[in-house]
Structures are given as C-alpha cells and as structure tokens.
Amino acid sequence: AVVSTQSTGERLFRLVAFTFVFCFKMKGILFVVLVALLNVVCCKDPAGDWLGYAQATSTGQRITYIEAYWVVPDDPKENGAFFSPWFGIETSDNLNLLQPVNPWSANSWSIYNEYFQWKPEYNYNSDAHGVQAGDVVYGNITYIVEKNSYRLYHSSLNDTWGVFTEIPIQKASSGEFKNYTIAYFVFEKVYKCKQYPPNNQVTFYDIKIEYDGAPVKPTWTTGYKSNVCNCRA
C-alpha cells in the first residue's frame, strides 16, 4: 500500500545540522561524492553502482526523521546519461530503501520519491516534477507512529511544488517489523566523467536527523562501490 499525494505551497522549515559536498575529489574536511543509478545484480545495499556515499548507522535506534536541502547541479555537457544524487534511509538488513531522488534523465533534471526493496525485488516511484540546474530542492522522511509507516516529502522551493508518499514498514522473515537504522547521502549510477555535472559537485546542507524522536549528530563514514571519476565522499 503506497500513498502518494501532491502539495503546493506547504510551509517549510530550516534547521541547520551540517553540510555534505559531493564532487570528484576531496575538498578540505567536507564530504565529497558523486554516485550513479544503474540496476546491477546485487543482494543488498550499498549497491554496486554507487560511486561514493556517506553513511550513518544507529546502534539500534529507529531513524524517525531526516531532512536536507540541496541545489540542483549544473547540466552535463553531454546528454544521454541517467544518474542521481539522493539521500535516504534503509532497514538494518540493507534491503528496504526510502529516498527522495533528483535524477538526470538523458537531458533534464527531475525530483520524486522512490522506494526500493531487494527481496522480493520491487520499486515504486511517486509523481515526478521537472527542475532546473540551480534550483533549490528539499526533502524529508518522517516516521508515522500511529501507522507504523514512513512519509516522504520532496519539493522544489523555486515553484513550491511538492509530493508526499507514504510507505508502510515491511516485516522481516521472522514476522517482526523491520527497523530503519541507516542513513545515506549518495550519488549513483556509472557513466562517463563528461556526462556528469561539469561543476563536479552537489552540496547537501541544513541536514537534520533524529533517532527515536531526539535530534542527533551521528558519526558518518564514507565509501564507494564503483571507482568512477575518482568520486569520493
């Protein structure tokens, strides 16, 4: 059961946390990443087509809220690729992923909410909305206690378009409901370097994350799966 609704003009709020920078190389103490979105044969995340990513994992506490802002990257000089910067949360078994995404699809940018699960394999995308390089976009994911579900919200601050999507929490093979304990910031899908944004970066900022309803400053680790264009977090 997936619920997706659109909203225009919802009042947004901004809470400062810390900044991620995604690009082809390290810059100072900031996190740097580029990542791609191809479907590769794999059993769980991190997927094989993640170029670079930052990850925070709780010690069993549920992620009840996460939000971030970012600026849509520059248009690639060469069209034809499909890749995306995104952030999201995942279950502790690395099989169920919730993500507000911002893909470049051949020749244009868009935003939408996505849910992907590895077993049984299933993917859901909400309604999408076109955005332009330089636009500011915002996303959040909220745990809804009374429904035992998550509500994703993704919006463009340039034209106030937004979309809500509600995803119920799945059960493990044991019959117990799964726990979302992992947060990611990623740039996904493998293409040629000249098919990525020429400014070589995307910065996520004003990031906020909560475990069991309490604000936290988690420990972030970085890694990569595909060593493409020296992309690192």
Side-chain angles (χ1 to χ4, degrees), residues 26-215:
M26 278 290 213
K27 288 187 177 180
I29 61 171
L30 297 177
F31 290 109
V32 180
V33 180
L34 274 182
V35 200
L37 278 154
L38 292 171
N39 287 324
V40 270
V41 177
C42 181
C43 58
K44 61 175 61 178
D45 291 317
D49 58 352
W50 293 14
L51 280 66
Y53 61 92
Q55 173 180 340
T57 304
S58 77
T59 56
Q61 305 98 315
R62 182 184 302 278
I63 297 175
T64 51
Y65 186 76
I66 187 171
E67 69 171 11
Y69 298 77
W70 68 99
V71 176
V72 179
D74 290 351
D75 293 352
K77 297 298 184 183
E78 180 179 307
N79 289 336
F82 176 71
F83 58 84
S84 179
W86 56 267
F87 77 93
I89 62 172
E90 188 160 52
T91 51
S92 55
D93 59 5
N94 301 93
L95 295 176
N96 304 78
L97 182 63
L98 304 171
Q99 48 188 152
V101 298
N102 177 203
W104 172 263
S105 303
N107 59 8
S108 63
W109 293 102
S110 63
I111 57 172
Y112 54 86
N113 297 320
E114 182 172 3
Y115 168 68
F116 181 78
Q117 66 181 34
W118 285 102
K119 295 195 309 189
E121 188 167 323
Y122 171 76
N123 188 83
Y124 170 81
N125 294 335
S126 72
D127 292 339
H129 180 66
V131 292
Q132 305 297 320
D135 286 356
V136 178
V137 296
Y138 167 83
N140 70 46
I141 304 173
T142 306
Y143 176 58
I144 309 301
V145 179
E146 59 272 19
K147 294 184 177 181
N148 197 31
S149 64
Y150 279 94
R151 185 185 65 221
L152 292 78
Y153 178 66
H154 206 359
S155 68
S156 165
L157 302 190
N158 289 70
D159 59 14
T160 71
W161 183 91
V163 61
F164 286 99
T165 305
E166 187 172 332
I167 303 292
I169 295 178
Q170 281 66 38
K171 290 184 178 181
S173 57
S174 64
E176 297 179 345
F177 286 101
K178 295 188 177 187
N179 191 13
Y180 281 79
T181 60
I182 306 168
Y184 289 118
F185 284 82
V186 180
F187 195 105
E188 187 180 3
K189 295 242 181 276
V190 175
Y191 282 91
K192 296 178 291 185
C193 294
K194 63 182 178 181
Q195 291 180 291
Y196 292 126
N199 58 331
N200 297 345
Q201 69 178 31
V202 53
T203 302
F204 293 87
Y205 63 94
D206 286 2
I207 297 164
K208 179 186 178 185
I209 185 168
E210 295 180 2
Y211 294 166
D212 292 332

